[in-house]
Amino acid sequence: MSESKSQIRAFFAEHPRLMGVLFAACVLLSQAGTAVAGNGGGTY
């Protein structure tokens, strides 16, 4: 388990922008899910 964590840590150390992109994508998806849920769950 710690070996895979160190591999992930090394990958993000080499690609720090990707961490920001993934974080932004998660935030946008959570906001979109909240908006859809607030509007009755979508279209029928």
Side-chain angles (χ1 to χ4, degrees), residues 1 3-6 8-11 13-18 22-25 29-32 34-35 37-39 41:
M1 182 73 169
E3 184 176 323
S4 79
K5 282 186 180 181
S6 64
I8 294 170
R9 215 174 266 144
F11 178 79
E14 293 174 11
H15 304 91
R17 278 188 167 180
L18 186 58
L22 291 175
F23 176 74
L29 287 174
S30 69
Q31 292 295 320
T34 303
N39 290 334

